[in-house]
Amino acid sequence: MYHVVAATTNPAKIKAITLAFEDIFGAEAFRIEGVDVDSGVPNQPIGSNETRTGARHRVIGARQVRPEADFWVGVEAGIEDNMTFAWMVIENMHQRGESRSASLMLPEIILQGINQGSELGDEMEKLTGIAEVKRKGGAIGVFTAGKLTRTSVYHQALVLALAPFHNSVYQVRTQTH
């Protein structure tokens, strides 16, 4: 059974990781442990590079906390231009898989708060009155009337990030002459 360490304690992210690992490896093939680690980037990452760096740093932190695990998974949400999205980073002892989620255009009222240094989650709480909205459906759930959620969008990207771990074409081969 694989020991999967999620570099988060956010239930929406852990559910997405669980669903992706179930899809690829089967429901009985792993157990997930969430750990609280620092992203090494601001609480509201801006831009693709900063967001991807946050996901990678979460994996590094998870590996330090649980070096005996089989997989480490980092998920970092960010803002780029007028959109929210997330980077997924998955590592085992031999390789890394990465993917970027779909993006959601944010309304100007939310972007104004973010541009003043606020986090998306805080702005969404102000707008909706939903406490800890980022631990639930997130802005994605709110703005798609629940048709998509943070979990469902991250799930898809995590399945993509898992591709190198179950497709032999990704395996590094050395040629002998």
Side-chain angles (χ1 to χ4, degrees):
M1 176 176 288
Y2 293 127
H3 179 191
V4 178
V5 176
T8 184
T9 58
N10 182 311
K13 292 180 180 180
I14 290 173
K15 179 68 173 168
I17 294 165
T18 300
L19 291 170
F21 273 79
E22 282 177 2
D23 284 350
I24 301 305
F25 298 111
E28 304 302 315
F30 65 93
R31 68 180 177 87
I32 291 191
E33 175 188 9
V35 296
D36 187 20
V37 296
D38 189 49
S39 68
V41 298
N43 287 341
Q44 181 57 77
I46 303 296
S48 184
N49 288 341
E50 190 168 81
T51 305
R52 188 182 211 173
T53 297
R56 288 176 174 174
H57 282 177
R58 287 185 184 281
V59 167
I60 291 166
R63 286 182 84 141
Q64 289 171 343
V65 172
R66 293 287 182 272
E68 74 283 2
D70 298 297
F71 289 93
W72 302 273
V73 183
V75 176
E76 189 72 23
I79 305 288
E80 185 173 51
D81 299 322
N82 63 342
M83 309 236 178
T84 182
F85 69 98
W87 270 102
M88 318 292 142
V89 176
I90 303 172
E91 291 185 4
N92 67 11
M93 290 301 286
H94 309 289
Q95 61 189 352
R96 174 190 290 162
E98 295 184 328
S99 181
R100 185 175 154 154
S101 76
S103 300
L104 170 70
M105 190 172 87
L106 295 169
E108 191 57 39
I109 186 93
I110 298 294
L111 292 168
Q112 286 173 0
I114 290 167
N115 290 335
Q116 293 170 3
S118 186
E119 287 183 55
L120 175 58
D122 296 337
E123 290 301 308
M124 290 304 299
E125 282 186 32
K126 280 189 231 169
L127 181 72
T128 65
I130 301 169
E132 298 207 340
V133 69
K134 68 183 182 181
R135 298 176 72 86
K136 300 170 185 168
I140 294 166
V142 171
F143 293 131
T144 67
K147 300 293 186 238
L148 296 174
T149 62
R150 206 171 187 206
T151 296
S152 70
V153 170
Y154 292 4
H155 167 221
Q156 181 185 52
L158 285 156
V159 169
L160 295 171
L162 279 167
F165 300 100
H166 66 97
N167 287 281
S168 61
V169 72
Y170 286 94
Q171 305 309 313
V172 176
R173 292 185 176 85
T174 56
Q175 299 217 340
T176 56
H177 296 285

